[in-house]
Amino acid sequence: LKGPGVQAVEDISIFINRGETLGLVGESGCGKTTLGRTILQLHEPTSGKIVYDGETIFEGQDPWQRDEEGQLHHVKVPKAKQANMLPYRRKMQIIFQDPYASLDPKMKVQDIIAEGIRAHGLAKSEKEIKERVNELLVTVGLNAQYGERYIHEFSGGQRQRIGIARALAVEPEFIVCDEPISALDVSIQAQIVNLLDKLQEEKGLTYMFIAHDLSMVKYISDRVMVMYLGKVVEITAADRLYEQPAHPYTQALLSAIPIPDPHVEAKKERIKMGGEIPSPVDPPKGCRFQNRCKYATERCREEEPALRLIGEDHYVACHLEDE
Ligand code: SF4
Protein backbone atom coordinates (compact mmCIF):
# COMPACT_ATOMS: atom_id res chain seq x y z
CA LEU A 1 0.00 0.00 0.00
CA LYS A 2 1.26 3.48 -0.64
CA GLY A 3 0.06 6.98 -1.34
CA PRO A 4 -0.31 10.25 0.53
CA GLY A 5 -1.73 9.72 4.01
CA VAL A 6 -1.52 5.94 3.71
CA GLN A 7 0.64 3.60 5.75
CA ALA A 8 3.27 2.48 3.23
CA VAL A 9 4.21 -1.12 2.61
CA GLU A 10 6.28 -1.33 -0.53
CA ASP A 11 7.95 -3.92 -2.75
CA ILE A 12 7.32 -6.86 -0.47
CA SER A 13 7.25 -10.33 -1.94
CA ILE A 14 6.69 -13.22 0.44
CA PHE A 15 5.40 -16.77 0.48
CA ILE A 16 4.16 -18.85 3.40
CA ASN A 17 4.34 -22.62 3.14
CA ARG A 18 1.36 -24.70 4.17
CA GLY A 19 1.66 -25.75 7.82
CA GLU A 20 4.42 -23.30 8.72
CA THR A 21 4.50 -20.17 10.87
CA LEU A 22 6.02 -17.05 9.44
CA GLY A 23 6.89 -14.63 12.24
CA LEU A 24 6.60 -10.98 11.26
CA VAL A 25 8.41 -8.57 13.55
CA GLY A 26 9.02 -4.82 13.73
CA GLU A 27 8.25 -1.75 15.82
CA SER A 28 4.84 -0.13 15.60
CA GLY A 29 4.42 1.78 12.36
CA CYS A 30 6.62 -0.60 10.33
CA GLY A 31 3.65 -1.86 8.33
CA LYS A 32 3.42 -5.41 9.70
CA THR A 33 -0.24 -5.17 10.68
CA THR A 34 -1.04 -3.47 7.36
CA LEU A 35 0.66 -6.32 5.53
CA GLY A 36 -1.22 -9.02 7.50
CA ARG A 37 -4.58 -7.34 6.99
CA THR A 38 -3.86 -6.65 3.33
CA ILE A 39 -3.27 -10.35 2.68
CA LEU A 40 -6.74 -11.00 4.13
CA GLN A 41 -8.05 -8.01 2.16
CA LEU A 42 -9.35 -6.36 5.32
CA HIS A 43 -7.32 -3.47 3.88
CA GLU A 44 -7.79 -3.12 0.15
CA PRO A 45 -4.41 -3.49 -1.58
CA THR A 46 -3.52 -0.70 -4.02
CA SER A 47 -1.37 -2.99 -6.12
CA GLY A 48 0.42 -6.32 -6.27
CA LYS A 49 -0.71 -9.89 -6.32
CA ILE A 50 -2.10 -12.25 -3.67
CA VAL A 51 -2.11 -15.94 -4.50
CA TYR A 52 -3.82 -18.39 -2.15
CA ASP A 53 -3.36 -22.10 -2.74
CA GLY A 54 -2.57 -21.52 -6.43
CA GLU A 55 -5.51 -19.14 -7.01
CA THR A 56 -4.93 -15.44 -7.64
CA ILE A 57 -7.34 -13.61 -5.33
CA PHE A 58 -6.08 -10.10 -6.04
CA GLU A 59 -4.06 -8.57 -8.84
CA GLY A 60 -3.65 -4.89 -9.53
CA GLN A 61 -1.17 -2.41 -10.94
CA ASP A 62 0.34 0.31 -8.82
CA PRO A 63 -1.31 3.70 -9.45
CA TRP A 64 1.37 5.40 -7.32
CA GLN A 65 4.63 5.82 -9.19
CA ARG A 66 7.76 7.61 -7.99
CA ASP A 67 9.59 9.98 -10.33
CA GLU A 68 13.39 10.35 -10.43
CA GLU A 69 13.29 12.69 -7.41
CA GLY A 70 11.33 10.11 -5.46
CA GLN A 71 8.04 12.08 -5.54
CA LEU A 72 4.83 10.04 -5.72
CA HIS A 73 2.41 10.60 -8.62
CA HIS A 74 -0.99 9.03 -9.17
CA VAL A 75 -1.33 7.52 -12.66
CA LYS A 76 -4.24 5.80 -14.41
CA VAL A 77 -4.09 1.98 -14.32
CA PRO A 78 -6.57 -0.79 -15.25
CA LYS A 79 -9.07 -1.81 -12.54
CA ALA A 80 -7.69 -4.47 -10.17
CA LYS A 81 -8.94 -8.07 -10.52
CA GLN A 82 -10.46 -9.41 -7.33
CA ALA A 83 -11.83 -12.89 -6.58
CA ASN A 84 -15.10 -13.48 -4.71
CA MET A 85 -13.74 -13.43 -1.16
CA LEU A 86 -16.57 -15.34 0.54
CA PRO A 87 -14.92 -18.80 0.45
CA TYR A 88 -11.58 -17.26 1.41
CA ARG A 89 -13.14 -15.42 4.37
CA ARG A 90 -13.70 -18.87 5.85
CA LYS A 91 -10.26 -20.26 4.96
CA MET A 92 -8.37 -17.18 6.16
CA GLN A 93 -9.00 -15.90 9.67
CA ILE A 94 -7.51 -13.32 12.02
CA ILE A 95 -6.85 -13.18 15.76
CA PHE A 96 -6.57 -9.62 17.04
CA GLN A 97 -4.27 -8.06 19.62
CA ASP A 98 -7.03 -6.76 21.81
CA PRO A 99 -9.83 -9.32 22.12
CA TYR A 100 -11.80 -6.95 24.34
CA ALA A 101 -12.06 -4.41 21.54
CA SER A 102 -12.70 -7.01 18.84
CA LEU A 103 -15.37 -9.09 20.63
CA ASP A 104 -18.85 -7.60 21.08
CA PRO A 105 -19.43 -6.98 24.84
CA LYS A 106 -23.25 -7.18 24.39
CA MET A 107 -23.14 -10.71 22.98
CA LYS A 108 -22.84 -13.94 24.94
CA VAL A 109 -19.58 -15.81 24.28
CA GLN A 110 -21.49 -18.64 22.59
CA ASP A 111 -23.01 -16.20 20.09
CA ILE A 112 -19.63 -14.58 19.42
CA ILE A 113 -18.11 -17.95 18.59
CA ALA A 114 -21.19 -19.11 16.65
CA GLU A 115 -21.29 -16.04 14.38
CA GLY A 116 -18.98 -17.54 11.73
CA ILE A 117 -20.65 -20.97 11.94
CA ARG A 118 -24.01 -19.33 11.19
CA ALA A 119 -22.66 -16.98 8.50
CA HIS A 120 -21.06 -19.83 6.56
CA GLY A 121 -23.90 -22.34 7.21
CA LEU A 122 -21.57 -24.83 8.87
CA ALA A 123 -24.16 -26.45 11.15
CA LYS A 124 -27.65 -27.80 10.47
CA SER A 125 -29.36 -26.91 13.74
CA GLU A 126 -29.05 -24.71 16.82
CA LYS A 127 -28.29 -27.88 18.81
CA GLU A 128 -25.34 -28.66 16.54
CA ILE A 129 -24.11 -25.05 16.79
CA LYS A 130 -24.23 -25.27 20.60
CA GLU A 131 -22.31 -28.56 20.58
CA ARG A 132 -19.65 -27.12 18.27
CA VAL A 133 -19.26 -24.00 20.40
CA ASN A 134 -18.88 -26.13 23.55
CA GLU A 135 -16.27 -28.28 21.81
CA LEU A 136 -14.37 -25.18 20.68
CA LEU A 137 -14.36 -23.73 24.22
CA VAL A 138 -12.85 -26.97 25.51
CA THR A 139 -10.33 -27.05 22.61
CA VAL A 140 -8.97 -23.64 23.64
CA GLY A 141 -8.74 -24.67 27.30
CA LEU A 142 -11.96 -23.10 28.64
CA ASN A 143 -14.98 -24.54 30.42
CA ALA A 144 -17.85 -25.39 28.06
CA GLN A 145 -20.25 -23.57 30.44
CA TYR A 146 -18.49 -20.24 29.73
CA GLY A 147 -20.59 -19.86 26.58
CA GLU A 148 -23.38 -18.38 28.73
CA ARG A 149 -21.19 -15.52 29.98
CA TYR A 150 -20.17 -12.14 28.59
CA ILE A 151 -16.71 -11.04 27.55
CA HIS A 152 -16.18 -8.62 30.48
CA GLU A 153 -16.34 -11.57 32.88
CA PHE A 154 -13.01 -12.94 31.59
CA SER A 155 -9.30 -12.18 32.07
CA GLY A 156 -7.11 -11.02 29.15
CA GLY A 157 -5.75 -14.53 28.54
CA GLN A 158 -9.25 -16.07 28.61
CA ARG A 159 -10.52 -13.43 26.19
CA GLN A 160 -7.72 -14.26 23.81
CA ARG A 161 -8.69 -17.93 24.05
CA ILE A 162 -12.25 -16.91 23.09
CA GLY A 163 -10.82 -14.93 20.14
CA ILE A 164 -8.96 -18.06 19.04
CA ALA A 165 -12.13 -20.19 19.41
CA ARG A 166 -14.01 -17.70 17.23
CA ALA A 167 -11.33 -17.91 14.54
CA LEU A 168 -11.30 -21.74 14.69
CA ALA A 169 -15.11 -21.97 14.47
CA VAL A 170 -15.07 -21.75 10.65
CA GLU A 171 -12.33 -24.39 10.31
CA PRO A 172 -9.76 -22.09 8.71
CA GLU A 173 -6.50 -23.12 7.05
CA PHE A 174 -4.57 -19.89 7.49
CA ILE A 175 -4.65 -17.50 10.47
CA VAL A 176 -3.07 -14.08 10.75
CA CYS A 177 -2.25 -13.77 14.45
CA ASP A 178 -2.04 -9.97 14.74
CA GLU A 179 0.00 -9.35 17.90
CA PRO A 180 -2.14 -11.85 19.86
CA ILE A 181 0.09 -11.76 22.93
CA SER A 182 1.32 -8.15 23.05
CA ALA A 183 -1.30 -7.02 25.57
CA LEU A 184 -0.86 -10.04 27.89
CA ASP A 185 1.37 -10.72 30.92
CA VAL A 186 4.54 -12.67 30.11
CA SER A 187 3.32 -15.87 31.84
CA ILE A 188 0.06 -15.76 29.90
CA GLN A 189 1.91 -15.02 26.64
CA ALA A 190 3.66 -18.40 26.88
CA GLN A 191 0.31 -20.16 27.45
CA ILE A 192 -1.24 -18.60 24.35
CA VAL A 193 1.83 -19.37 22.23
CA ASN A 194 1.72 -22.99 23.45
CA LEU A 195 -2.00 -23.20 22.64
CA LEU A 196 -1.46 -21.84 19.11
CA ASP A 197 1.40 -24.28 18.63
CA LYS A 198 -0.72 -27.24 19.77
CA LEU A 199 -3.63 -26.21 17.52
CA GLN A 200 -1.29 -25.87 14.56
CA GLU A 201 -0.07 -29.40 15.03
CA GLU A 202 -3.55 -30.86 15.55
CA LYS A 203 -5.25 -29.02 12.72
CA GLY A 204 -2.40 -28.46 10.24
CA LEU A 205 -2.85 -24.68 10.42
CA THR A 206 -0.65 -22.10 8.73
CA TYR A 207 0.12 -18.92 10.67
CA MET A 208 1.44 -15.47 10.08
CA PHE A 209 2.42 -14.45 13.61
CA ILE A 210 2.87 -10.70 14.06
CA ALA A 211 4.79 -9.26 17.01
CA HIS A 212 6.61 -6.05 17.92
CA ASP A 213 9.63 -7.79 19.42
CA LEU A 214 11.54 -11.00 18.93
CA SER A 215 11.06 -12.51 22.40
CA MET A 216 8.21 -15.01 21.87
CA VAL A 217 8.36 -15.26 18.08
CA LYS A 218 11.24 -17.71 18.35
CA TYR A 219 9.09 -20.33 20.02
CA ILE A 220 6.40 -20.45 17.36
CA SER A 221 8.03 -19.44 14.05
CA ASP A 222 9.67 -21.59 11.41
CA ARG A 223 10.90 -18.51 9.57
CA VAL A 224 11.04 -14.90 10.75
CA MET A 225 10.71 -11.76 8.67
CA VAL A 226 11.89 -8.45 10.15
CA MET A 227 10.31 -5.27 8.82
CA TYR A 228 11.40 -1.67 9.15
CA LEU A 229 9.42 1.28 7.85
CA GLY A 230 7.37 -0.66 5.32
CA LYS A 231 10.23 -2.79 3.99
CA VAL A 232 11.57 -6.26 4.70
CA VAL A 233 15.13 -5.95 6.07
CA GLU A 234 15.83 -9.60 6.90
CA ILE A 235 14.14 -12.96 6.46
CA THR A 236 15.42 -16.42 7.31
CA ALA A 237 14.81 -19.56 9.40
CA ALA A 238 14.03 -18.69 13.04
CA ASP A 239 17.09 -20.51 14.46
CA ARG A 240 19.42 -18.84 12.02
CA LEU A 241 17.99 -15.38 12.69
CA TYR A 242 18.58 -15.74 16.42
CA GLU A 243 22.08 -17.24 16.00
CA GLN A 244 23.39 -15.14 13.10
CA PRO A 245 21.36 -11.93 12.79
CA ALA A 246 22.86 -9.98 9.89
CA HIS A 247 20.92 -6.70 9.76
CA PRO A 248 21.86 -4.04 12.36
CA TYR A 249 18.14 -3.54 13.12
CA THR A 250 17.61 -7.27 13.81
CA GLN A 251 20.72 -7.23 16.02
CA ALA A 252 19.29 -4.31 18.01
CA LEU A 253 15.89 -6.01 18.39
CA LEU A 254 17.58 -9.20 19.61
CA SER A 255 19.75 -7.34 22.12
CA ALA A 256 16.57 -5.86 23.64
CA ILE A 257 15.17 -9.28 24.65
CA PRO A 258 15.54 -9.66 28.43
CA ILE A 259 17.42 -12.77 29.58
CA PRO A 260 15.79 -14.48 32.62
CA ASP A 261 19.19 -14.96 34.37
CA PRO A 262 19.97 -11.63 36.20
CA HIS A 263 23.78 -12.22 36.07
CA VAL A 264 23.76 -12.77 32.31
CA GLU A 265 21.29 -9.92 31.83
CA ALA A 266 23.51 -7.49 33.80
CA LYS A 267 26.55 -8.28 31.59
CA LYS A 268 24.66 -8.27 28.29
CA GLU A 269 25.43 -5.49 25.84
CA ARG A 270 22.25 -3.78 24.71
CA ILE A 271 22.43 -2.08 21.33
CA LYS A 272 20.82 1.33 21.62
CA MET A 273 19.03 2.68 18.59
CA GLY A 274 19.24 6.46 18.48
CA GLY A 275 17.08 8.73 16.35
CA GLU A 276 13.40 8.78 15.59
CA ILE A 277 11.58 6.44 13.18
CA PRO A 278 11.03 8.54 10.02
CA SER A 279 7.55 8.91 8.55
CA PRO A 280 6.67 5.89 6.37
CA VAL A 281 4.79 8.18 4.01
CA ASP A 282 7.91 10.21 3.28
CA PRO A 283 10.84 7.84 3.89
CA PRO A 284 14.45 9.07 3.58
CA LYS A 285 16.49 8.47 0.43
CA GLY A 286 18.84 5.49 0.72
CA CYS A 287 18.55 3.04 3.58
CA ARG A 288 15.49 3.71 5.73
CA PHE A 289 17.39 2.71 8.88
CA GLN A 290 20.33 5.12 8.28
CA ASN A 291 19.55 7.68 11.04
CA ARG A 292 19.51 4.96 13.72
CA CYS A 293 22.37 2.80 12.45
CA LYS A 294 25.88 3.11 13.89
CA TYR A 295 27.38 1.63 10.70
CA ALA A 296 25.75 4.11 8.29
CA THR A 297 28.02 5.45 5.52
CA GLU A 298 27.63 7.91 2.66
CA ARG A 299 26.48 5.03 0.45
CA CYS A 300 23.67 4.23 2.93
CA ARG A 301 22.41 7.82 2.60
CA GLU A 302 22.38 7.64 -1.21
CA GLU A 303 21.48 4.10 -2.21
CA GLU A 304 18.68 1.92 -0.89
CA PRO A 305 19.98 -1.59 -0.13
CA ALA A 306 18.20 -4.40 -1.98
CA LEU A 307 17.12 -7.59 -0.24
CA ARG A 308 19.62 -10.23 -1.29
CA LEU A 309 20.61 -13.78 -0.49
CA ILE A 310 23.59 -14.07 1.88
CA GLY A 311 23.27 -17.70 2.98
CA GLU A 312 20.88 -20.63 2.89
CA ASP A 313 17.40 -19.06 2.65
CA HIS A 314 18.80 -16.00 4.43
CA TYR A 315 17.92 -12.65 2.84
CA VAL A 316 19.18 -9.27 4.10
CA ALA A 317 18.87 -5.69 2.89
CA CYS A 318 22.07 -3.99 4.10
CA HIS A 319 25.18 -2.64 2.32
CA LEU A 320 27.41 -4.15 5.01
CA GLU A 321 26.77 -7.51 3.38
CA ASP A 322 28.51 -6.30 0.18
CA GLU A 323 31.81 -5.72 2.00
FE1 SF4 B 1 23.04 0.46 8.43
FE2 SF4 B 1 23.82 1.10 5.97
FE3 SF4 B 1 23.07 -1.39 6.54
FE4 SF4 B 1 21.29 0.56 6.41
S1 SF4 B 1 22.53 -0.21 4.73
S2 SF4 B 1 21.41 -1.00 7.97
S3 SF4 B 1 22.42 2.26 7.29
S4 SF4 B 1 24.84 -0.28 7.36
Side-chain angles (χ1 to χ4, degrees):
L1 293 177
K2 62 182 169 179
V6 179
Q7 165 71 63
V9 176
E10 283 186 57
D11 304 329
I12 290 183
S13 180
I14 56 165
F15 62 89
I16 308 177
N17 295 312
R18 188 179 282 273
E20 83 165 345
T21 299
L22 177 70
L24 180 48
V25 177
E27 292 163 293
S28 48
C30 74
K32 56 193 190 300
T33 288
T34 305
L35 179 61
R37 293 183 183 197
T38 304
I39 292 171
L40 301 186
Q41 297 193 41
L42 298 176
H43 288 321
E44 200 180 322
T46 44
S47 64
K49 190 169 176 178
I50 305 171
V51 179
Y52 186 91
D53 207 10
E55 296 293 327
T56 298
I57 57 174
F58 176 87
E59 189 166 13
Q61 282 180 33
D62 192 351
W64 290 99
Q65 304 287 344
R66 286 191 194 279
D67 62 21
E68 281 170 7
E69 265 86 56
Q71 295 299 314
L72 280 175
H73 297 279
H74 196 269
V75 297
K76 215 169 163 8
V77 292
K79 200 170 174 295
K81 290 182 214 148
Q82 199 154 15
N84 169 17
M85 282 302 288
L86 191 64
Y88 296 100
R89 293 263 169 260
R90 182 186 161 191
K91 291 178 182 182
M92 302 158 89
Q93 285 290 301
I94 184 164
I95 300 167
F96 294 98
Q97 174 180 357
D98 181 359
Y100 199 58
S102 61
L103 305 175
D104 189 339
K106 294 188 288 300
M107 285 168 81
K108 279 187 180 171
V109 163
Q110 64 188 27
D111 293 322
I112 290 173
I113 298 174
E115 242 183 340
I117 302 175
R118 292 198 174 100
H120 291 276
L122 300 178
K124 291 187 195 75
S125 63
E126 280 305 305
K127 184 170 169 281
E128 195 184 328
I129 290 176
K130 183 111 193 349
E131 282 168 7
R132 288 186 67 156
V133 168
N134 289 354
E135 249 174 59
L136 283 159
L137 284 167
V138 173
T139 302
V140 297
L142 295 173
N143 189 318
Q145 315 308 321
Y146 286 178
E148 290 296 326
R149 298 192 186 173
Y150 292 88
I151 202 74
H152 70 266
E153 299 176 56
F154 296 94
S155 67
Q158 287 172 322
R159 284 177 199 150
Q160 197 51 286
R161 287 175 190 270
I162 293 165
I164 294 170
R166 183 177 69 164
L168 291 179
V170 293
E171 297 167 6
E173 298 169 341
F174 170 59
I175 303 181
V176 172
C177 306
D178 187 7
E179 299 214 42
I181 56 170
S182 302
L184 304 174
D185 291 346
V186 175
S187 58
I188 311 293
Q189 288 186 358
Q191 290 175 17
I192 296 296
V193 164
N194 289 341
L195 172 64
L196 289 169
D197 209 25
K198 179 175 106 73
L199 292 169
Q200 180 169 47
E201 222 170 288
E202 285 171 8
K203 299 177 184 294
L205 296 165
T206 304
Y207 294 143
M208 175 182 259
F209 188 93
I210 301 174
H212 62 251
D213 64 42
L214 279 161
S215 56
M216 276 289 161
V217 171
K218 182 181 185 173
Y219 301 104
I220 192 160
S221 305
D222 297 287
R223 290 183 300 134
V224 177
M225 181 163 111
V226 180
M227 281 182 73
Y228 187 78
L229 213 63
K231 293 266 181 176
V232 178
V233 296
E234 185 158 8
I235 179 165
T236 190
D239 292 348
R240 192 174 164 114
L241 188 96
Y242 284 79
E243 281 157 23
Q244 301 169 44
H247 196 282
Y249 180 57
T250 313
Q251 291 165 1
L253 287 180
L254 277 173
S255 83
I257 301 175
I259 296 171
D261 182 331
H263 299 295
V264 182
E265 177 65 19
K267 285 188 206 140
K268 195 182 76 175
E269 195 203 338
R270 197 175 160 154
I271 303 170
K272 285 208 174 72
M273 281 185 285
E276 293 285 309
I277 305 180
S279 162
V281 176
D282 188 18
K285 188 179 169 200
C287 176
R288 294 180 174 203
F289 190 55
Q290 60 182 267
N291 66 325
R292 304 174 79 194
C293 179
K294 63 178 178 183
Y295 307 109
T297 62
E298 205 40 52
R299 183 182 178 199
C300 305
R301 284 179 261 282
E302 289 299 320
E303 190 188 323
E304 188 166 11
L307 195 66
R308 57 186 199 82
L309 191 64
I310 61 155
E312 197 189 344
D313 280 337
H314 191 168
Y315 293 83
V316 177
C318 174
H319 294 314
L320 284 179
E321 293 303 321
D322 291 350
E323 290 162 11

